[in-house]
Amino acid sequence: MQISELRKIIDQFKNKRVLVIGDLMIDHYIWGKVDRISPEAPVPVVEVRKEDFRLGGAANVVNNIHALGAVPYVLGLIGNDQNAERMRDIFIANGISNLELIADESRNTTIKTRVIAHNQQVVRIDRENDDDVARDVEDRIIERFEALIPQVDAVLIEDYNKGLLTERVINTVIDTCNKLDKIVTVDPKFRNFFAYKNCTVFKPNLKETEKNLGIEIKSEDDFLAAAHKLLDRLEPEYVVVTRSEKGLSVFSRTADPISIPTFAMEVYDVSGAGDTVISTLTLCLAAGCDMRTSALIANHAAGKVCGKMGIHPILPDEIIDSFKNHLKA
């Protein structure tokens, strides 16, 4: 792909509106250094130097879409707590304003705290509730979704298994998108994996594929067989499987598989790489790109974020820079 063509595609992102429905989180980072072991227990003592709060989970997907120049709409759950206000403030500080944050009094806002010293994660602390939402909360989610869907070009479902995406919500979202001829892409986890039937793109990673099919993928033949099982059971237009250091692969019923190697120059942290893939892929499809082109651009985007420590959104210039580096190679 020529750089001029890539720039034209990225420029088309500016007019695209994407509704992200999924599990919103805050990623809390505590950065410090370790010089000694605690006398109380055989654990490192971290001297805190700084901390920050970033958008994580489905909120990181929203941030990626915004950073790429498109207009995100946000539909997700928060608690009635300090972190709910913190999440709202982070969205607004990042220039993201189309917020449908549904408060559920029975749960807390999901926050993941990572303690990092010398560019290594020492420990992660999760504060969350992953029970399925109650029926009345489902009703509120579906009501807001149905009000938002006419306004957007595509819907992206980001499932971290924190309870928002019940089978009823999933079925309603996909059925409505199909009736209205809207792109609907899915980044699944383990629970409700096979509820995502008839979507445009279904994007698991290799581990999720193995676990949900109950198999161990040891060879390329195993991998091809697994991908076709997903096509048969879920009937999406495309299955896209991310494979860490092996890049990603695309499958459909109407074309030969496409495999794209990783473009990561250095890997410091894979956190958020899957979010970056699904965000970029969705925007490319909304901009009218074919799947091969979309997957190629998404894989370049993922390669760039793997070179950063912690969660960071992808920027257009970083994708262009990745293409330039590999054109030179």
Side-chain angles (χ1 to χ4, degrees), residues 312-324:
H312 293 270
I314 187 66
L315 300 172
D317 286 347
E318 292 175 321
I319 299 176
I320 293 168
D321 182 62
S322 179
F323 269 84
K324 285 180 177 178

Side-chain angles (χ1 to χ4, degrees), residues 55 63 66 70-72 89-99:
L55 298 170
N63 206 22
H66 175 72
V71 181
D89 290 345
I90 300 171
F91 272 128
I92 292 170
N94 281 277
I96 299 164
S97 58
N98 298 310
L99 306 176

Side-chain angles (χ1 to χ4, degrees), residues 77 79-80 104-109 129-133 162-163:
L77 285 180
N80 183 18
D104 184 345
E105 302 282 341
S106 70
R107 57 210 300 138
N108 60 282
T109 305
N129 182 320
D130 61 3
D131 296 331
D132 283 353
V133 296
K162 305 305 176 195

